[in-house]
Amino acid sequence: MQAAIYCRISSDPEGTELGVQRQEQLCRSLADRLGLVVETVFVDNDVSASSRSNKPRPEYAAMLRRARLNEFGVILAYSNSRLTRRPQEYNELIDVAVKHKVRISTVASGEFDLNTADGRAVARTIAAWDAAESERLGERIKAAADQRAASGKFHGGPAPLGFRVRDKTLVAAPAEAKLIRSAMARLIAGDSTYAIVKDWNAKRVPTRRRKRWSAMVLRKAVCNQALIGLNTAGVPSWDPLVDLATFAKVVDLLKERGRHDVPYVRSSLGGGLTHCGRCGARLVRSTMGGIPVMLCVPGRTAHPRDGSDPRAGPTGLSCGKTIMKTDRLEAYVFNAILNTLPVNAMSARSRRSEILNEIERLDRLVLDLEAAQQRHLEENGIGSATAETRDVLRETREAKRALSEVLERVQFNEIFAGGVDWRAWSIPRRAQFLRFIIDRIEIDPLPVGRKSPPHTPHMTRETWEQRERDFWDEMAPQRIRIMF
């Protein structure tokens, strides 16, 4: 008779699978004694079958599915509790046994004839006691962990990322700690958790369990208060990996981005300059498919221009209906402004040259200092602010302030008489220019029934791109309002 073996162990943090391998060996010995031929082996390693766990067991489900196809007539397991500790799952097992004449045999719990009322009653009783024992064990483990945490000790279990367990406490794991600090530096610089783990996976940076990195795992790691030396009870218990200010900044940053972790996108159009033309809410910087956009986030306070503005709706919340690509919007706004600026032909060439040289000097200085700031973060880590790093930060602030002062004094018609390319400017310079010239930008949603041209299979990329440009040229003047 054909038989299947099912092996399961609840906890295997190291991923060695030694427990399930021992179970398989014992089940194969049982199959030899019973004269059975093992058809297949199903293994759920490091998966709980407790009634408190909702983690799926794919191999257990596959075993039941193939049993219903009559691929084997006997299921072998080390014990009933290895099959399941959930009474409801026992009912499914009984249903398979009765309808498809499948026998259950175990190494430690014996054999139950689920085709008889007495056998089913005994099996259900054992399942109920297994579930109760599992819950009592969980309560004892949790109580012990809470007691350790309250006394300022490590609560137990796997160490958080960045640490390893030594003498019942946590110490830094150098390789993981370096990754965590690097990730926090990149998050503060504007990267998303998705971008970071994508980079790590491409470089084959190893994980603790030799799997691929995920954004969720990284997010939990950088928001774990263990990084600042606190255990689960909030008691200082070990040396921190990062300082409190850095940790708080990363946590606040990820909280602001939301669970999808929209990265901070630098743009000259942010800071309350750009608004939704439908509800009056400020548009926020975001990305969609890696493309920077300005969008109206639904459910926020709309801040209409006028308290009686009906576009804000009865709740006064933002509509979430407006979105536009940042690069196209920025180009449209700058071109519209430059085309309306008067050119003073009588401006003195020497004065214009002096202004341009000063702006270009400060602009290059800001860019160089920002690059130096990033290098210091990468070389020294976030948690160690050296005197040199602090000097760079101070110089960057002073350079930006000086650039702002020059831009506020300058006559922009003199600048553009020389044909300066705004695309070569730094972001602070672009933003300062826009705020000096205009008061507000409003963007309406696409009109009802109008959508960007679809890219159909028979259409060439060049044709689609041309149609998209034509659609933009048609809709931009209707949707964008620049208020001077």
Side-chain angles (χ1 to χ4, degrees):
M1 181 175 289
Q2 303 291 324
I5 293 176
Y6 179 74
C7 305
R8 181 190 65 79
I9 194 167
S10 299
S11 178
D12 183 17
E14 302 301 326
T16 59
E17 300 189 359
L18 296 179
V20 291
Q21 290 174 10
R22 287 193 295 270
Q23 291 180 30
E24 181 181 344
Q25 292 171 1
L26 292 170
C27 288
R28 287 189 180 276
S29 298
L30 176 61
D32 292 340
R33 292 197 301 271
L34 298 177
L36 302 172
V37 177
V38 176
E39 171 69 19
T40 185
V41 178
F42 301 92
V43 177
D44 281 317
N45 189 51
D46 199 23
V47 179
S48 173
S50 166
S51 58
R52 290 189 172 188
S53 173
N54 57 7
K55 191 174 183 179
R57 291 193 289 155
E59 289 294 286
Y60 181 79
M63 179 186 68
L64 294 184
R65 183 172 62 253
R66 292 177 61 176
R68 293 187 179 100
L69 297 175
N70 300 314
E71 294 188 12
F72 42 82
V74 180
I75 294 175
L76 303 176
Y78 176 74
S79 67
N80 284 349
S81 62
R82 295 304 92 195
L83 281 169
T84 183
R85 290 179 181 269
R86 305 169 185 170
Q88 180 58 40
E89 286 188 347
Y90 246 107
N91 291 332
E92 297 178 12
L93 200 59
I94 289 171
D95 181 70
V96 170
V98 171
K99 291 183 178 179
H100 301 275
K101 309 300 180 184
V102 176
R103 201 168 79 239
I104 311 294
S105 292
T106 68
V107 175
S109 305
E111 182 171 338
F112 293 93
D113 186 358
L114 299 181
N115 290 288
T116 67
D118 288 344
R120 291 192 292 272
V122 172
R124 287 192 176 101
T125 301
I126 291 177
W129 281 105
D130 281 343
E133 176 57 27
S134 175
E135 292 176 7
R136 283 194 293 270
L137 177 61
E139 290 171 356
R140 292 196 296 269
I141 292 174
K142 184 177 184 303
D146 290 345
Q147 185 179 23
R148 287 196 300 272
S151 64
K153 298 179 181 178
F154 177 50
H155 59 79
L161 279 173
F163 294 93
R164 63 171 178 261
V165 180
R166 180 189 292 170
D167 297 330
K168 297 183 179 180
T169 189
L170 296 183
V171 296
E176 288 185 356
K178 184 177 179 180
L179 280 177
I180 293 295
R181 293 190 183 106
S182 170
M184 297 179 86
R186 293 180 61 176
L187 287 168
I188 291 174
D191 279 350
S192 67
T193 52
Y194 173 77
I196 295 170
V197 299
K198 183 179 179 181
D199 180 40
W200 287 357
N201 288 330
K203 295 178 180 177
R204 301 185 181 277
V205 176
T207 66
R208 185 174 289 179
R209 296 193 178 187
R210 296 178 177 85
K211 297 180 180 179
R212 290 176 61 82
W213 288 95
S214 72
M216 182 180 69
V217 169
L218 179 58
R219 186 186 183 95
K220 289 182 178 179
V222 298
C223 293
N224 192 333
Q225 64 183 13
L227 297 177
I228 52 174
L230 303 182
N231 66 12
T232 54
V235 178
S237 305
W238 45 79
D239 293 334
L241 289 187
V242 298
D243 60 84
L244 178 59
T246 299
F247 178 77
K249 187 171 184 178
V250 169
V251 171
D252 291 343
L253 182 148
L254 292 179
K255 188 181 297 183
E256 181 180 347
R257 292 179 184 177
R259 64 187 183 91
H260 295 298
D261 186 13
V262 177
Y264 176 78
V265 183
R266 299 184 70 196
S267 170
S268 62
L269 302 170
L273 182 66
T274 313
H275 292 253
C276 175
R278 185 174 187 269
C279 67
R282 293 179 177 181
L283 299 189
V284 301
R285 296 168 294 228
S286 183
T287 58
M288 294 191 69
I291 300 175
V293 295
M294 301 294 295
L295 58 83
C296 179
V297 178
R300 293 189 174 187
T301 304
H303 298 300
R305 290 173 300 173
D306 187 318
S308 60
D309 192 337
R311 294 181 300 173
T315 61
L317 299 179
S318 52
C319 64
K321 301 293 185 181
T322 299
I323 183 171
M324 184 170 284
K325 293 180 180 178
T326 304
D327 57 348
R328 285 187 171 178
L329 174 61
E330 188 176 44
Y332 180 89
V333 170
F334 269 96
N335 290 334
I337 292 172
L338 300 188
N339 289 335
T340 59
L341 283 176
V343 178
N344 187 352
M346 302 301 293
S347 297
R349 184 179 298 273
S350 60
R351 174 58 179 160
R352 183 169 62 245
S353 176
E354 178 185 338
I355 294 172
L356 291 177
N357 290 338
E358 180 65 8
I359 290 176
E360 293 300 331
R361 184 188 71 79
L362 290 171
D363 207 32
R364 285 195 301 270
L365 179 60
V366 168
L367 293 175
D368 292 342
L369 288 171
E370 287 179 341
Q373 180 180 338
Q374 181 62 31
R375 285 196 303 271
H376 279 284
L377 286 173
E378 294 174 353
E379 293 172 0
N380 302 315
I382 297 180
S384 56
T386 64
E388 190 176 0
T389 304
R390 288 192 292 271
D391 290 342
V392 171
L393 291 172
R394 177 180 51 76
E395 291 175 12
T396 304
R397 287 194 296 269
E398 292 175 355
K400 288 182 177 181
R401 188 182 304 113
L403 178 59
S404 297
E405 291 175 355
V406 173
L407 289 170
E408 287 173 358
R409 294 195 308 265
V410 76
Q411 297 296 316
F412 284 99
N413 61 313
E414 293 183 353
I415 293 179
F416 294 106
V420 176
D421 182 11
W422 64 269
R423 295 180 185 275
W425 295 355
S426 62
I427 296 296
R429 180 180 176 185
R430 296 185 198 180
Q432 184 64 33
F433 167 74
L434 291 179
R435 280 153 184 76
F436 184 84
I437 295 293
I438 63 178
D439 292 328
R440 181 185 179 99
I441 303 169
E442 288 193 352
I443 304 173
D444 291 333
L446 278 170
V448 177
R450 299 302 303 271
K451 295 182 179 180
S452 298
H455 189 190
T456 56
H458 65 276
M459 186 185 299
T460 65
R461 183 173 183 84
E462 291 75 14
T463 302
W464 173 74
E465 289 177 347
Q466 183 58 51
R467 290 188 179 183
E468 192 182 35
R469 285 194 295 269
D470 294 341
F471 182 76
W472 165 261
D473 292 340
E474 175 192 355
M475 299 307 304
Q478 301 179 36
R479 297 182 60 195
I480 303 171
R481 292 184 297 279
I482 303 173
M483 301 175 184
F484 292 88

